[in-house]
């Protein structure tokens, strides 16, 4: 393939996997009492983050690279998961100040 449809390398896929695992860890570490008081839209956003991270983990499991993610999707996923991770980092800081 070529251009934006070219598949990412194993190392790039590994980077995305690390970001997705970190995001899932951050979500799992949110205190239950905090999650229970969230407005519905914020709770739904966290569920979407979690779903996106789990979907990103489904790519790149074949050693021969057949299921590697296309570059266009990789760029979008890395950007979105990184942004979600930053949001949860800031949320954790706020929670820990209380």
């Amino acid at each position: 393939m070529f251009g934006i449809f070219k598949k990412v390398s194993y190392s790039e896929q590994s980077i995305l996997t690390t970001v997705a695992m970190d995001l899932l860890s951050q979500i799992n570490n949110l205190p239950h009492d905090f999650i229970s008081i969230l407005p519905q839209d914020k709770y739904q956003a966290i569920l979407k983050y979690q779903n996106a991270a789990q979907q990103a983990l489904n790519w790149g499991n074949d050693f021969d690279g057949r299921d590697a993610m296309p570059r266009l999707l990789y760029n979008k996923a890395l950007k979105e998961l990184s942004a979600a991770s930053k949001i949860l980092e800031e949320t954790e800081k706020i929670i820990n100040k209380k």
Side-chain angles (χ1 to χ4, degrees):
M1 287 291 206
F2 55 91
I4 59 174
F5 298 107
K6 182 178 181 181
K7 296 194 176 201
V8 297
S9 68
Y10 179 77
S11 62
E12 289 170 313
Q13 191 71 43
S14 176
I15 292 168
L16 185 61
T17 297
T18 301
V19 171
M21 293 294 291
D22 288 345
L23 179 59
L24 288 173
S25 176
Q26 288 174 312
I27 291 170
N28 289 334
N29 289 335
L30 288 173
H32 180 69
D33 57 339
F34 172 76
I35 292 175
S36 65
I37 62 170
L38 282 176
Q40 187 64 22
D41 61 331
K42 305 296 186 220
Y43 178 71
Q44 290 297 321
I46 288 175
L47 291 179
K48 286 181 182 180
Y49 295 159
Q50 186 176 30
N51 186 36
Q54 289 174 345
Q55 286 181 5
L57 293 176
N58 289 333
W59 292 83
N61 294 324
D62 288 350
F63 290 113
D64 62 5
R66 286 181 295 157
D67 70 336
M69 186 177 284
R71 169 123 351 249
L72 178 66
L73 184 57
Y74 171 82
N75 290 342
K76 176 96 172 129
L78 186 60
K79 179 180 174 184
E80 296 292 328
L81 293 180
S82 295
S85 182
K86 292 290 183 190
I87 290 168
L88 287 175
E89 282 176 19
E90 293 302 316
T91 301
E92 186 178 352
K93 287 178 186 177
I94 291 169
I95 291 171
N96 289 334
K97 284 184 181 180
K98 291 184 177 184

CSV table of all heavy atoms in Angstrom, one decimal, residues 3 7 13-14 17 26 32 39 48 50 54 58 62 64 66-67 85 89 97:
chain,number,residue,atom,x,y,z
A,3,GLY,N,1.0,5.8,0.7
A,3,GLY,CA,0.4,7.0,1.3
A,3,GLY,C,-0.3,6.7,2.6
A,3,GLY,O,0.2,6.0,3.5
A,7,LYS,N,0.5,0.6,5.8
A,7,LYS,CA,0.3,0.1,7.2
A,7,LYS,C,1.5,0.5,8.0
A,7,LYS,O,2.6,0.7,7.5
A,7,LYS,CB,0.2,-1.4,7.1
A,7,LYS,CG,-1.1,-1.8,6.4
A,7,LYS,CD,-1.5,-3.2,6.7
A,7,LYS,CE,-2.8,-3.5,6.0
A,7,LYS,NZ,-3.5,-4.6,6.5
A,13,GLN,N,3.1,0.4,16.0
A,13,GLN,CA,1.9,-0.3,16.5
A,13,GLN,C,2.2,-0.5,18.0
A,13,GLN,O,1.3,-0.4,18.8
A,13,GLN,CB,1.7,-1.6,15.8
A,13,GLN,CG,0.4,-2.3,16.2
A,13,GLN,CD,-0.8,-1.6,15.6
A,13,GLN,OE1,-0.8,-1.2,14.5
A,13,GLN,NE2,-1.9,-1.4,16.4
A,14,SER,N,3.4,-0.8,18.4
A,14,SER,CA,3.8,-1.0,19.8
A,14,SER,C,3.6,0.3,20.6
A,14,SER,O,3.1,0.2,21.8
A,14,SER,CB,5.2,-1.5,19.9
A,14,SER,OG,5.6,-1.6,21.2
A,17,THR,N,-0.1,0.6,21.3
A,17,THR,CA,-0.5,-0.3,22.3
A,17,THR,C,-0.1,0.2,23.7
A,17,THR,O,-0.9,0.1,24.6
A,17,THR,CB,0.2,-1.7,22.0
A,17,THR,OG1,-0.3,-2.2,20.7
A,17,THR,CG2,-0.1,-2.7,23.1
A,26,GLN,N,-5.3,4.1,33.5
A,26,GLN,CA,-5.8,5.4,34.1
A,26,GLN,C,-7.3,5.3,34.4
A,26,GLN,O,-7.8,5.7,35.5
A,26,GLN,CB,-5.6,6.6,33.2
A,26,GLN,CG,-4.1,7.0,33.2
A,26,GLN,CD,-3.9,8.1,32.1
A,26,GLN,OE1,-4.4,8.0,31.0
A,26,GLN,NE2,-3.2,9.1,32.5
A,32,HIS,N,-14.0,4.8,42.5
A,32,HIS,CA,-15.4,4.4,42.2
A,32,HIS,C,-16.4,5.6,42.7
A,32,HIS,O,-17.3,5.9,42.0
A,32,HIS,CB,-15.8,3.1,42.9
A,32,HIS,CG,-17.2,2.7,42.7
A,32,HIS,ND1,-17.7,2.3,41.5
A,32,HIS,CD2,-18.3,2.7,43.5
A,32,HIS,CE1,-19.0,2.1,41.6
A,32,HIS,NE2,-19.4,2.3,42.8
A,39,PRO,N,-21.5,13.4,35.8
A,39,PRO,CA,-22.7,13.5,35.0
A,39,PRO,C,-22.7,12.5,33.9
A,39,PRO,O,-21.6,12.0,33.5
A,39,PRO,CB,-22.5,14.9,34.4
A,39,PRO,CG,-21.5,15.6,35.2
A,39,PRO,CD,-20.7,14.6,35.8
A,48,LYS,N,-16.3,5.8,26.2
A,48,LYS,CA,-15.8,5.9,24.8
A,48,LYS,C,-14.3,5.8,24.8
A,48,LYS,O,-13.7,5.1,23.9
A,48,LYS,CB,-16.3,7.2,24.2
A,48,LYS,CG,-17.8,7.1,23.8
A,48,LYS,CD,-18.2,8.4,23.2
A,48,LYS,CE,-19.7,8.4,22.8
A,48,LYS,NZ,-20.2,9.6,22.2
A,50,GLN,N,-12.4,4.2,26.9
A,50,GLN,CA,-12.1,2.8,27.2
A,50,GLN,C,-12.4,1.9,26.0
A,50,GLN,O,-11.5,1.1,25.7
A,50,GLN,CB,-13.0,2.3,28.4
A,50,GLN,CG,-12.7,1.0,28.9
A,50,GLN,CD,-13.5,0.6,30.1
A,50,GLN,OE1,-14.7,1.1,30.3
A,50,GLN,NE2,-13.0,-0.2,31.0
A,54,GLN,N,-9.5,-0.2,23.9
A,54,GLN,CA,-9.6,-1.6,23.7
A,54,GLN,C,-9.6,-2.0,22.2
A,54,GLN,O,-9.0,-3.0,21.8
A,54,GLN,CB,-10.9,-2.2,24.4
A,54,GLN,CG,-10.7,-2.2,25.9
A,54,GLN,CD,-12.0,-2.6,26.6
A,54,GLN,OE1,-13.1,-2.6,26.0
A,54,GLN,NE2,-11.8,-2.8,27.9
A,58,ASN,N,-6.7,-4.3,19.6
A,58,ASN,CA,-7.1,-5.5,18.7
A,58,ASN,C,-6.3,-5.5,17.4
A,58,ASN,O,-6.3,-6.5,16.7
A,58,ASN,CB,-8.6,-5.4,18.4
A,58,ASN,CG,-9.4,-5.8,19.5
A,58,ASN,OD1,-9.0,-6.5,20.4
A,58,ASN,ND2,-10.6,-5.3,19.6
A,62,ASP,N,-0.9,-10.0,14.8
A,62,ASP,CA,-0.2,-10.9,13.9
A,62,ASP,C,1.3,-10.6,13.7
A,62,ASP,O,1.6,-9.4,13.5
A,62,ASP,CB,-0.9,-11.0,12.6
A,62,ASP,CG,-2.2,-11.7,12.6
A,62,ASP,OD1,-2.6,-12.3,13.6
A,62,ASP,OD2,-2.9,-11.6,11.6
A,64,ASP,N,3.2,-11.4,11.4
A,64,ASP,CA,3.6,-11.1,10.0
A,64,ASP,C,3.1,-9.7,9.5
A,64,ASP,O,3.4,-9.4,8.4
A,64,ASP,CB,3.1,-12.2,9.1
A,64,ASP,CG,1.6,-12.3,9.1
A,64,ASP,OD1,0.9,-11.5,9.7
A,64,ASP,OD2,1.1,-13.3,8.4
A,66,ARG,N,0.1,-8.6,8.9
A,66,ARG,CA,-1.1,-8.6,8.1
A,66,ARG,C,-2.2,-7.7,8.7
A,66,ARG,O,-3.0,-7.1,8.0
A,66,ARG,CB,-1.6,-10.0,7.8
A,66,ARG,CG,-0.8,-10.8,6.9
A,66,ARG,CD,-1.4,-12.1,6.7
A,66,ARG,NE,-1.3,-12.9,7.9
A,66,ARG,CZ,-2.1,-13.9,8.3
A,66,ARG,NH1,-3.0,-14.3,7.5
A,66,ARG,NH2,-2.0,-14.5,9.4
A,67,ASP,N,-2.3,-7.6,10.0
A,67,ASP,CA,-3.3,-6.9,10.6
A,67,ASP,C,-2.8,-5.5,11.2
A,67,ASP,O,-3.5,-4.9,12.0
A,67,ASP,CB,-4.0,-7.7,11.7
A,67,ASP,CG,-3.1,-7.9,12.9
A,67,ASP,OD1,-1.9,-7.8,12.8
A,67,ASP,OD2,-3.6,-8.1,14.0
A,85,SER,N,-5.7,10.5,27.4
A,85,SER,CA,-4.8,10.2,28.5
A,85,SER,C,-4.4,11.5,29.2
A,85,SER,O,-4.4,11.5,30.5
A,85,SER,CB,-3.5,9.6,28.0
A,85,SER,OG,-2.6,9.3,29.0
A,89,GLU,N,-5.1,12.4,33.1
A,89,GLU,CA,-4.0,12.8,34.0
A,89,GLU,C,-4.4,14.1,34.8
A,89,GLU,O,-4.2,14.1,36.0
A,89,GLU,CB,-2.7,13.1,33.2
A,89,GLU,CG,-2.0,11.9,32.7
A,89,GLU,CD,-0.8,12.3,31.9
A,89,GLU,OE1,-0.3,13.5,31.9
A,89,GLU,OE2,-0.3,11.4,31.1
A,97,LYS,N,-6.0,16.3,44.8
A,97,LYS,CA,-5.9,17.6,45.5
A,97,LYS,C,-7.0,17.7,46.6
A,97,LYS,O,-6.8,18.4,47.6
A,97,LYS,CB,-6.0,18.8,44.6
A,97,LYS,CG,-4.7,19.1,43.8
A,97,LYS,CD,-4.9,20.3,43.0
A,97,LYS,CE,-3.6,20.6,42.2
A,97,LYS,NZ,-3.7,21.8,41.4
